[in-house]
Amino acid sequence: MDAVSSIAQTGDLQQYLVLALSIEQTSLVCLVQLHYSVERLESPSEVGIVLLEPLPPGVDLEETSPGLDLLEVDFLDDESLVIVYRVRGNDKLTNIATISYCELGYQPMQTDQHVRLLAREELMFEVVEQWKQGDVSHAATLVRKDPLLNRVQLSTTRTPIKRSRVLKGGKVGGISVALNGKQGRRVACVLDSKGMLESFDMEGDEEDIEYE
């Protein structure tokens, strides 16, 4: 599970957690949004969650998606996620793409006044477990015995991938990703299981390939 934080001009802290969920024929990106007020930074004042279903380029919101296999998901900066995926039925091609996560419709969850640091890990674990059991889908229920959360309804959000690039390598096996999200130097480096390294300028159209 990866995390990224940003501080507003008011001093409030916004933190995001992300985790890729993949089982059987469904792959989702689970995002948790934690808001900390400047008066009480030790625990979040607001918690939101969204289950994101990325759609391959060319697939509309109302169309049936062939589905994706998510290989990696990580934060590029305080606005975008990078995902590396294969479209099911076309597993010889591996793609890299960016998705905006700040403007999504996060579903609020009620919290008590003493949300512990560990509770964030427990929250993600609970979502994964409920999702594996089939309880978190297009219309799902997440129930916790812990007072951290009351009963809430979760639904997936479909989002089209607008910009995607095909890797020259990474056709089989796993991959590793390293990101630099600094403005003007936004680069993604992808290393496949055979040792082929590719670097992508995430702000331009050109890509540089390196081999090991």
Side-chain angles (χ1 to χ4, degrees), residues 87-202:
V87 178
R88 294 198 179 115
N90 192 12
D91 56 5
K92 292 184 178 180
L93 295 179
T94 301
N95 306 268
I96 185 170
T98 56
I99 295 176
S100 177
Y101 64 88
C102 290
E103 302 301 324
L104 297 173
Y106 287 83
Q107 300 174 71
M109 292 182 171
Q110 295 184 10
T111 66
D112 63 9
Q113 295 181 351
H114 304 284
V115 178
R116 296 169 292 109
L117 178 64
L118 181 61
R120 292 180 289 180
E121 303 285 343
E122 293 174 348
L123 172 60
M124 299 297 276
F125 176 78
E126 183 69 18
V127 171
V128 172
E129 289 304 306
Q130 295 289 339
W131 181 74
K132 286 181 178 180
Q133 295 170 19
D135 295 330
V136 178
S137 186
H138 287 278
T141 302
L142 173 63
V143 181
R144 284 184 56 89
K145 297 178 182 179
D146 192 296
L148 169 64
L149 298 177
N150 290 335
R151 190 178 183 87
V152 294
Q153 297 293 320
L154 292 178
S155 60
T156 59
T157 298
R158 308 185 91 203
T159 181
I161 295 173
K162 297 181 179 180
R163 184 186 184 193
S164 179
R165 306 185 202 179
V166 178
L167 274 65
K168 286 184 170 62
K171 300 182 187 303
V172 295
I175 55 93
S176 299
V177 176
L179 303 174
N180 182 355
K182 293 183 179 179
Q183 189 170 5
R185 301 175 59 185
R186 289 153 49 96
V187 175
C189 296
V190 182
L191 180 68
D192 70 11
S193 58
K194 295 184 178 180
M196 182 176 180
L197 179 66
E198 302 178 59
S199 66
F200 297 85
D201 178 2
M202 304 307 289

